[in-house]
Amino acid sequence: MSKNIIVCGAGVVTSAAKWTPIAIVGAWKGHIAGEFELTLSDLEQIAINFKNADAEDVVVDFEHQSTENIKAEATGWAKDLKVEDNKLLAKIEWLEETKELIKSKKYKYLSPVLVQNSLDPITGDHIGWTLHSIALTNTPFFQELDEVILNKRQQEDDDSIQKKEKILDEELKKELEKLKEENAELLAENDKLKTEAAELKKTNAEVKVDEAVAAKKIHPDQKDSMLAFSAADPEGFEKFLTDAKAITSAPGGNDMFANSANGGQSNGNNNSDTGLSEDELNA
């Protein structure tokens, strides 16, 4: 790897479109490309060169593939750079499939590729530090910095989200239990109303059958069968009562309601079977 190319590791990845730190002021002695230092002036120079470049964005790839002679697909694009609080921040537009990798935490970190003593591609002038690309990786160079500073912030964000989700889950569970209780109450009330309706229907049928018996439209012995008729076919029962005529005598001329007509007592002069007097029977 060229000493001019510094592959680093900085910002914690977030799926939201916001400014993310990718480099920080400091000095490092243990990089594979050799010792290097980044000053505030260097970070500002990177941001200026980015804005002056003909390209509108810088690629974000997987594991620094853009620095190797292999296929390097974009995971996103750095659309802008700025310096703030001794840090270089990038505004990254992620591809949809990359967002899923980030949300599932299969990838968590960003690692920039910085180039020292860069040359302007057109004029050949020395323009200093530039940003070559950014990698989505799990092994950034600034691992300790990420863990101590940036990961802590990310963990706080994650904890806050999880806390809110837990509260929301509890509220939903309470609401669900409340709805279940209300539903059980409604079902019980519905069963009660059904029972009351059935009892009322039965009572109405008994009243109508009693009225029909009193009106001599049906015989008292038919009461149970009429109640069953009412339960099985209410409309048919109503039609039957409407069309029924008072019964005055049974087949053969016997009076079916003779006892009820005189209070259930015989006067001794009438024969309950024939309706004739003793004198008429003996004539």
Side-chain angles (χ1 to χ4, degrees):
M1 181 180 295
S2 170
K3 187 174 178 63
N4 288 341
I5 298 179
I6 307 296
V7 179
C8 307
V12 172
V13 175
T14 61
S15 59
K18 63 180 183 180
W19 292 99
T20 303
I22 61 172
I24 190 169
V25 171
W28 297 269
K29 297 181 179 181
H31 196 278
I32 190 173
E35 297 181 17
F36 74 98
E37 180 181 1
L38 287 174
T39 65
L40 181 60
S41 177
D42 294 332
L43 299 185
E44 292 173 342
Q45 190 174 58
I46 294 171
I48 292 172
N49 285 332
F50 176 89
K51 297 179 186 302
N52 291 337
D54 291 334
E56 295 181 356
D57 42 30
V58 169
V59 67
V60 183
D61 60 21
F62 284 110
E63 304 294 353
H64 299 295
Q65 291 176 343
S66 296
T67 64
E68 304 172 12
N69 189 23
I70 59 175
K71 180 180 180 181
E73 293 185 352
T75 65
W77 297 93
K79 309 299 290 186
D80 199 1
L81 296 179
K82 72 176 181 178
V83 177
E84 189 175 278
D85 297 330
N86 288 329
K87 297 173 185 176
L88 178 65
L89 292 83
K91 194 167 190 178
I92 299 174
E93 179 183 281
W94 295 105
L95 302 183
E96 288 300 320
E97 54 267 32
T98 309
K99 290 180 182 179
E100 296 304 317
L101 294 175
I102 295 170
K103 288 178 182 178
S104 64
K105 295 189 177 181
K106 291 183 178 180
Y107 279 91
K108 295 177 64 176
Y109 305 101
L110 295 177
S111 177
V113 177
L114 307 176
V115 182
Q116 282 181 301
N117 303 317
S118 301
L119 298 178
D120 185 287
I122 298 176
T123 65
D125 295 336
H126 287 275
I127 57 176
W129 285 94
T130 58
L131 175 65
H132 173 272
S133 59
I134 304 172
L136 192 59
T137 182
N138 287 326
T139 55
F141 177 71
F142 295 146
Q143 185 174 2
E144 291 82 8
L145 180 59
D146 284 337
E147 291 295 329
V148 174
I149 298 178
L150 299 177
N151 272 6
K152 180 179 178 182
R153 183 180 302 170
Q154 181 66 29
Q155 187 61 49
E156 289 175 351
D157 291 343
D158 291 344
D159 290 344
S160 177
I161 292 173
Q162 291 176 3
K163 184 177 180 180
K164 289 179 181 179
E165 289 177 346
K166 184 177 181 180
I167 293 174
L168 181 59
D169 286 342
E170 291 299 325
E171 291 177 349
L172 289 176
K173 286 180 181 178
K174 289 180 181 179
E175 187 65 24
L176 181 59
E177 289 300 322
K178 181 181 178 181
L179 290 174
K180 286 182 178 179
E181 291 177 1
E182 292 177 351
N183 186 56
E185 292 175 359
L186 289 174
L187 290 175
E189 183 67 21
N190 186 54
D191 291 340
K192 180 181 178 182
L193 291 174
K194 284 183 178 180
T195 300
E196 292 177 351
E199 291 295 330
L200 181 60
K201 183 178 178 182
K202 181 180 178 181
T203 300
N204 288 338
E206 289 175 347
V207 170
K208 290 182 179 180
V209 168
D210 288 341
E211 290 175 348
V213 170
K216 298 182 180 181
K217 291 186 176 183
I218 61 176
H219 192 276
D221 292 343
Q222 295 178 298
K223 184 172 181 178
D224 289 342
S225 62
M226 286 294 112
L227 289 174
F229 180 18
S230 172
D233 185 6
E235 293 183 0
F237 175 69
E238 292 289 342
K239 187 175 187 305
F240 168 79
L241 292 181
T242 301
D243 297 341
K245 306 296 184 182
I247 301 173
T248 57
S249 63
N254 292 330
D255 184 359
M256 296 180 64
F257 299 99
N259 290 334
S260 64
N262 55 21
Q265 300 178 355
S266 174
N267 59 14
N269 294 325
N270 292 334
N271 186 281
S272 61
D273 293 330
T274 64
L276 299 177
S277 66
E278 289 292 335
D279 294 337
E280 289 175 322
L281 285 173
N282 296 326

